[in-house]
Amino acid sequence: MKWKTDSEVAVITQNFTRRCGTRTENEDWNIYWANAATVKGIFHPESGQRLGDAQLINHYPNHYELTRKDLMVKNIKRYLRDASRDATADLPPDFVPVTYMLPADYSLFVEEFRRCPNAMWIMKPANAAQGRGIFIINKLSQIKRWSNGRWANMPLKEAYVISRYIEDPMLIGGKKFDLRLYVLVTSYRPLRVYQYDAGFARFCNVKYSSQAGELNNPFIHLTNVAIQKHNDDYNVKHGGKWNLQHVRLFVEATWGREASAKLFDDIDRIIIHSLKAVQGSIINDRHCFECYGYDILIDARLRPWLVEVNASPSLSTTTHSDRVMKMALIRDVLDVVLPKDITNYRGAFTLGPCEDAGGFSVLYDEALEAQLKAEAEQAAPNRGAQRRGSQAGAKQAPSRFF
């Protein structure tokens, strides 16, 4: 088996060396861990490149339908609007904060801002990561001052999103945090989703405050490790991270087991419905899989909010426990996606049974859900006939005694 990668991150190269054998720099590869730009080039219609049956790559051609912030919001809004017409749909409450695209939706944003003049808003580049270009505002003049001369010829790829800031986040030790969860998709049609059991919480280094004077302090508001590691109080031993299981225990101890179970069930539903929101848009190439990094913020009422979905979640390691977890993550990704004999690969992993593997548990299997629904619908008329028969028998029974 031959492998290729654009990255020199140790958890990738070491896992591939142990599991996949020979590294190659040419086009004769079986599995390619590529960056998003490379994948875009490979699948570009003018590239002339066609993947072989025995080749797998770690992104879908248009993954940005979910991982670009503006497209994610647009797709989820449309999906929730359409799905709400189905009375049987098990939809979570709105799980994306009120969001507008700038400069396109500036007038709509102004109307909303004037309805809630005391609200805080967070601005983010639609296509950036690691906290770059993010800032918080609470006055229209701040946007006007910032946008002066910027928007006249701004290309779409440099657009911004502005979202209602969650001003009452759940705090632990007085500090804001969010959750980083890993979700593996091996097929969009049918949708097959695995969730990793070893996510973590990322904490700010400074205690939370929503006071206007603190809006420009990223160490209070932005949980990105790329930002927090520059703070003087950054702890290199634990990296400002907390194991997901510790978060669960904290919630159980503070709010009770029932509330904790509901919270994490709601998070699971957010993941499933966000993927369903782009299911019709994603090009479901059988050569592709994707390991997403989901960022979830929990508010003080234990309501989870989807902040963003990362196509290339950071695999660099800042602590020993970080390295152990991410080494296991990539190992388990390979256990799920790689057929036993890739030289005879024919896309089998999108067909047979969808099963737990390593630290990954099956979160959603659309084919199985459809099968169970069909069986339930088939059984319903039979149960109805049995009930009608028993009722008729009950009505006729007394006549035998007269």
Side-chain angles (χ1 to χ4, degrees):
M1 186 186 303
K2 297 180 180 179
W3 60 276
K4 186 176 180 179
T5 183
D6 296 337
S7 171
E8 295 304 322
V9 174
V11 299
I12 296 176
T13 57
Q14 291 180 18
N15 266 296
F16 275 63
T17 299
R18 294 171 185 173
R19 174 67 184 270
C20 303
T22 306
R23 183 171 184 173
T24 181
E25 297 302 328
N26 56 36
E27 300 309 313
D28 182 24
W29 48 266
N30 298 116
I31 184 167
Y32 190 175
W33 196 279
N35 62 45
T38 298
V39 175
K40 183 178 180 181
I42 288 174
F43 285 103
H44 194 280
E46 296 180 1
S47 71
Q49 191 166 347
R50 186 181 180 88
L51 298 185
D53 286 338
Q55 291 186 309
L56 289 171
I57 197 163
N58 65 315
H59 292 295
Y60 286 90
N62 60 335
H63 62 83
Y64 46 80
E65 293 286 346
L66 180 63
T67 58
R68 185 179 160 104
K69 299 177 186 69
D70 53 349
L71 296 179
M72 180 195 81
V73 171
K74 182 190 74 173
N75 285 318
I76 290 176
K77 280 184 176 180
R78 184 194 64 242
Y79 168 79
L80 292 177
R81 182 178 64 249
D82 295 344
S84 63
R85 298 168 188 160
D86 181 1
T88 63
D90 180 28
L91 295 176
D94 287 342
F95 53 85
V96 176
V98 175
T99 300
Y100 297 95
M101 319 307 165
L102 296 180
D105 296 336
Y106 180 72
S107 59
L108 295 175
F109 163 69
V110 170
E111 290 180 18
E112 182 66 24
F113 185 93
R114 287 172 177 163
R115 277 196 291 268
C116 307
N118 298 319
M120 293 164 57
W121 296 80
I122 184 166
M123 282 194 69
K124 303 177 182 180
N127 198 28
Q130 297 185 329
R132 291 190 293 269
I134 297 178
F135 59 95
I136 299 171
I137 67 154
N138 61 353
K139 297 178 181 178
L140 277 177
S141 59
Q142 293 168 306
I143 286 192
K144 293 176 180 177
R145 187 166 56 249
W146 172 85
S147 63
N148 185 29
R150 288 175 181 260
W151 288 349
N153 299 304
M154 180 179 282
L156 179 61
K157 65 180 181 179
E158 295 179 11
Y160 269 67
V161 297
I162 186 162
S163 302
R164 183 76 177 263
Y165 188 69
I166 307 299
E167 297 181 45
D168 58 342
M170 174 182 167
L171 305 177
I172 297 180
K175 296 178 181 179
K176 179 182 174 181
F177 69 96
D178 68 1
L179 300 181
R180 164 57 60 86
L181 306 176
Y182 296 100
V183 176
L184 176 64
V185 176
T186 57
S187 170
Y188 269 96
R189 287 183 291 279
L191 184 59
R192 293 199 157 180
V193 187
Y194 299 78
Q195 185 174 3
Y196 204 56
D197 60 10
F200 54 86
R202 306 179 300 180
F203 284 84
C204 292
N205 281 295
V206 180
K207 288 193 173 183
Y208 180 74
S209 169
S210 60
Q211 297 299 314
E214 303 287 0
L215 293 186
N216 295 322
N217 188 342
F219 303 123
I220 292 177
H221 298 285
L222 305 182
T223 61
N224 309 73
V225 175
I227 290 175
Q228 294 296 328
K229 68 181 181 181
H230 297 293
N231 185 265
D232 292 339
D233 294 326
Y234 179 74
N235 188 308
V236 295
K237 185 175 182 180
H238 56 66
K241 297 178 181 178
W242 216 20
N243 186 287
L244 183 62
Q245 300 306 318
H246 293 162
V247 178
R248 282 181 178 267
L249 289 173
F250 177 86
V251 175
E252 287 183 7
T254 309
W255 283 273
R257 288 189 176 182
E258 185 175 342
S260 177
K262 181 181 183 304
L263 168 64
F264 286 95
D265 284 346
D266 288 345
I267 291 174
D268 290 348
R269 291 165 67 208
I270 286 174
I271 293 170
I272 293 169
H273 285 288
S274 66
L275 292 168
K276 285 185 175 182
V278 298
Q279 186 179 16
S281 304
I282 295 291
I283 299 171
N284 186 48
D285 193 297
R286 66 185 180 86
H287 301 93
C288 304
F289 64 92
E290 191 110 32
C291 185
Y292 295 106
Y294 269 72
D295 292 344
I296 303 287
L297 180 67
I298 305 169
D299 70 20
R301 299 178 300 281
L302 287 193
R303 180 174 175 178
W305 297 88
L306 177 59
V307 177
E308 62 183 86
V309 182
N310 298 271
S312 301
S314 173
L315 294 174
S316 60
T317 58
T318 54
T319 66
H320 173 71
S321 59
D322 208 26
R323 175 179 170 79
V324 170
M325 187 274 289
K326 290 179 180 177
M327 280 290 292
L329 169 69
I330 300 303
R331 179 199 66 206
D332 293 343
V333 166
L334 296 179
D335 283 345
V336 173
V337 304
L338 281 181
K340 293 181 180 179
D341 182 8
I342 197 169
T343 58
N344 292 320
Y345 172 70
R346 293 295 184 274
F349 76 93
T350 65
L351 299 175
C354 193
E355 299 174 340
D356 297 351
F360 279 104
S361 300
V362 176
L363 180 60
Y364 185 76
D365 180 356
E366 186 177 37
L368 179 59
E369 291 290 322
Q371 177 186 336
L372 295 175
K373 183 178 179 181
E375 291 175 354
E377 290 174 349
Q378 184 177 6
N382 294 335
R383 287 196 298 269
Q386 291 173 357
R387 285 196 297 272
R388 289 192 296 273
S390 62
Q391 290 168 359
K395 293 177 181 177
Q396 295 171 3
S399 65
R400 292 196 296 269
F401 298 97
F402 290 93

